[in-house]
Amino acid sequence: MDDKTIDYDQVSQVYDKVRVGDPEMVHQILNGISLSKETRVLDVGCGTGNNTLLLAAASGSCVVGLDLSLGMLKEAIAKSHSLPLLQSPADALPFSDESFEFVFMTEVVHHLPDLDKAISELFRVLRDPGRLCIVTQSHRQIESRMTSRFFPATIKVDQVRYPDIDVLEGSMHSAGFHRVDPQVYTFRPVRLGEDYLTTVSKRGYSMLHKISDDDYNRGLIELRDAYHRGEELTYSAGYTFLWGFKG
C-alpha cells in the first residue's frame, strides 16, 4: 500500500461511527462562494458523505459525491438515497470537461498518489469561470494538533503525507488556475470530551494507522491519563482553505 493511503474499505464502518461532518468547515467554504440550486458541485473524496450532505442542505445546490472507497460510499448511501455518488479515483474523473461550477475537497490531498494529475483533473471538470476549494493543513498546523501532543510520531508521518501549502499552490498554478488564494482559518476552541477519546481509541484518524503500535499505545495511555487527571483538553483546529480560480 502507498504510504499516503489508508484502506478505507476496511475502516469505513468504524470511521463513520466516530467521525461526523463539520458544520464550521462547511460554513467557511460557503463564506467564500455564492451557490444556488442551479449550481453543480462536486465533492472529491466525499467519504461517507458527511460534509457532502451538510453543504447540499445549506446551499440547496446539486452536489455530487465521489470517492475511491466503495465501503465509504456504502455508508453514504445509507444516509441518503437521493445523493448522487460515484466511485472513482481523483486523477481519472468520470466527467466531461467543464461539468461543474464548483469543486471542493476537505482533508483529501494527503491521500492522492499523484497530486499534479488529480489537480489537473479538477481543473478540467471545472467550468470557466469556476472555483476549486481545497481544505487542508499546513505543516505548521499539523504540529499544533492535539494528536501531535500525544502521538508525536504522527507529525513526521503527516508532514510527509501532506503537501505543504507552497507545493499545492504550485500544482494549482501549473494546472492552469490563474489565481490561487490560500486563507488560514482557526476554528473556535472546543473542549475535547469523551468522544475525542473514543475516536482516538478506535484509530478514527488516518495518521494513527501510520505509526507503530508502540507509539500508538504509548500515546493512548498518556491521553487516557490526562482524562483521568481531569485535565481540560481544549483545541482550536487550524486549516488552510486554498481557493483556485479558473477563468
Side-chain angles (χ1 to χ4, degrees):
M1 183 182 294
D2 187 277
D3 284 344
K4 286 190 173 186
T5 60
I6 298 292
D7 185 354
Y8 275 111
D9 285 341
Q10 181 179 351
V11 303
S12 58
Q13 292 183 344
V14 170
Y15 180 95
D16 206 45
K17 287 181 173 63
V18 297
R19 301 291 292 274
V20 296
D22 194 326
E24 189 170 1
M25 181 178 288
V26 170
H27 178 73
Q28 185 66 16
I29 292 172
L30 293 176
N31 274 346
I33 190 167
S34 178
L35 304 178
S36 70
K37 64 180 181 180
E38 287 80 26
T39 308
R40 287 169 293 180
V41 179
L42 175 63
D43 180 5
V44 177
C46 67
T48 61
N50 291 326
N51 286 333
T52 325
L53 290 167
L54 284 176
L55 189 135
S59 68
S61 302
C62 176
V63 185
V64 177
L66 179 141
D67 202 276
L68 182 59
S69 167
L70 183 59
M72 289 291 201
L73 292 174
K74 286 179 178 178
E75 296 293 326
I77 290 170
K79 298 173 187 176
S80 174
H81 292 287
S82 63
L83 181 66
L85 296 166
L86 292 94
Q87 183 186 19
S88 172
D91 56 13
L93 297 175
F95 305 109
S96 59
D97 295 353
E98 300 193 0
S99 295
F100 300 93
E101 286 83 24
F102 179 50
V103 176
F104 73 101
M105 295 195 305
T106 57
E107 285 280 78
V108 174
V109 291
H110 53 290
H111 295 301
L112 301 176
D114 190 332
L115 174 67
D116 291 339
K117 188 174 181 182
I119 297 296
S120 293
E121 276 290 273
L122 303 183
F123 182 84
R124 179 185 66 79
V125 302
L126 267 177
R127 280 200 160 191
D128 186 355
R131 290 193 199 179
L132 167 68
C133 183
I134 296 176
V135 184
T136 185
Q137 290 186 303
S138 69
H139 286 190
R140 184 177 295 275
Q141 288 168 329
I142 288 170
E143 293 171 357
S144 299
R145 292 170 175 167
M146 183 63 72
T147 47
S148 296
R149 170 186 164 184
F150 293 98
F151 306 92
T154 63
I155 297 174
K156 183 176 180 180
V157 165
D158 267 2
Q159 286 179 340
V160 171
R161 293 170 70 213
Y162 279 65
D164 211 355
I165 304 307
D166 60 333
V167 175
L168 284 167
E169 288 186 80
S171 181
M172 293 168 73
H173 281 299
S174 294
F177 288 96
H178 80 273
R179 180 162 68 92
V180 178
D181 181 17
Q183 299 180 6
V184 175
Y185 181 76
T186 301
F187 283 35
R188 67 186 186 280
V190 295
R191 182 180 180 276
L192 301 179
E194 290 293 328
D195 55 341
Y196 177 73
L197 180 57
T198 298
T199 300
V200 171
S201 298
K202 295 184 177 181
R203 285 191 170 181
Y205 299 111
S206 62
M207 69 283 198
L208 296 177
H209 292 265
K210 292 295 185 180
I211 61 176
S212 71
D213 287 341
D214 285 345
D215 285 333
Y216 169 71
N217 290 325
R218 187 182 306 112
L220 184 58
I221 290 170
E222 292 177 2
L223 178 61
R224 284 173 173 163
D225 285 347
Y227 275 92
H228 292 157
R229 292 193 306 269
E231 180 178 348
E232 184 169 316
L233 300 178
T234 303
Y235 174 55
S236 299
Y239 283 93
T240 302
F241 293 69
L242 285 103
W243 290 90
F245 295 79
K246 179 177 180 177

